[in-house]
Amino acid sequence: MFERILYPTDFSEVSLHALRKCIPELFSLGAKKLYLVHVVDITVVEFEAFELEEIYRKKLGEIARELKDEGLDVAPIVRLGIPSVEIAEMAESEKVDLIVIPNLGESLWRVAFVGSTATNLARATKKPILILKYHTTGEDRFELPFKCAEIFKRPLVAVDFSKCSVKILSAVKQFEELVEDGLLVHSVDYGKVEELEHNIQIARQNLEKSIRGIKGPFKYEVLVGTASQAIIGTATVRRSTLVVIGKKGRSFITDLLLGSTAERIIRDSNFPVLLVPCG
């Protein structure tokens, strides 16, 4: 299990809900250390930054004490800077295994022109990012489709047989002992129509080789069609508790114009996503 977890919080209701309800369950699975982080965004607050730093330091300390009372080993950290950059630097310096962030959805404008927290962070960090996909169930209530203690039980792991796939499988090995029914997939959405059967056969052979590197109850399956749609559809039918996918390093403009499979899955899926940066 990922032992050293970094959790950035903006003190929003969904962020505090995930912190109090989900993070303790990850500790029950084997997590050992929590780095609880808030970054005062200097691009937004500017002159008020130093005053806010002290206010948030006190606020974060109170939340950390609350979690410590539950038996969690917590290190609260407040920094000034650009959130994605500061979080990435902390993840590296503290040698964390996993970054966890909640996601409640964003407007199309923000996704298209600003970029989500997850994908901005994926461009800056080399650490896996667990995105908790929350939805609202009523006034001030948030829910995940699965309990956090169940997230790693039925993962769908998407690979493309590139160098990125090596990093994806390495991330899976961090929680393979928790898997009860895993599925390794590759989506064939390339080549000419007459090449389809051949490409499927090659993909099946490559999946068979890849699965040998993972312990636990994993099967494999070749999907056909647009990768994001095939992955979301298969995960939905199988009631997968997690989708694991890589995010290759591309320019912001490329992602803006074309999007990426990872970003479409983050945007359109209703289940947790483990995003593995491959840049």
Side-chain angles (χ1 to χ4, degrees), residues 212-254:
R212 294 171 189 166
I214 312 175
K215 296 179 182 178
F218 270 88
K219 302 181 183 70
Y220 63 86
E221 182 177 338
V222 177
L223 311 181
V224 178
T226 303
S228 60
Q229 295 176 2
I231 290 168
I232 291 173
T234 302
T236 301
V237 170
R238 294 188 79 257
R239 285 190 55 78
S240 297
T241 54
L242 177 70
V243 168
V244 184
I245 192 164
K247 173 68 173 70
K248 295 182 180 179
R250 304 195 306 177
S251 72
F252 173 74
I253 295 299
T254 301

Side-chain angles (χ1 to χ4, degrees), residues 26-58:
L26 296 183
F27 272 70
S28 72
L29 297 178
K32 304 294 184 185
K33 179 80 174 184
L34 175 65
Y35 295 90
L36 181 58
V37 176
H38 177 73
V39 179
V40 180
D41 191 343
I42 59 172
T43 65
V44 176
V45 298
E46 296 182 358
F47 301 112
E48 302 172 351
F50 292 106
E51 290 82 356
L52 288 173
E53 181 181 13
E54 187 55 38
I55 292 172
Y56 286 130
R57 196 180 304 279
K58 181 178 179 180

Side-chain angles (χ1 to χ4, degrees), residues 79-121:
R79 282 197 182 183
L80 301 177
I82 299 172
S84 59
V85 174
E86 294 296 327
I87 292 167
E89 289 182 355
M90 278 183 279
E92 197 66 33
S93 64
E94 300 297 343
K95 296 181 174 59
V96 304
D97 303 309
L98 180 69
I99 299 170
V100 180
I101 59 174
N103 179 283
L104 193 57
E106 297 177 283
S107 70
L108 291 177
W109 187 93
R110 181 169 175 79
V111 170
F113 293 97
V114 181
S116 69
T117 301
T119 49
N120 279 342
L121 184 54

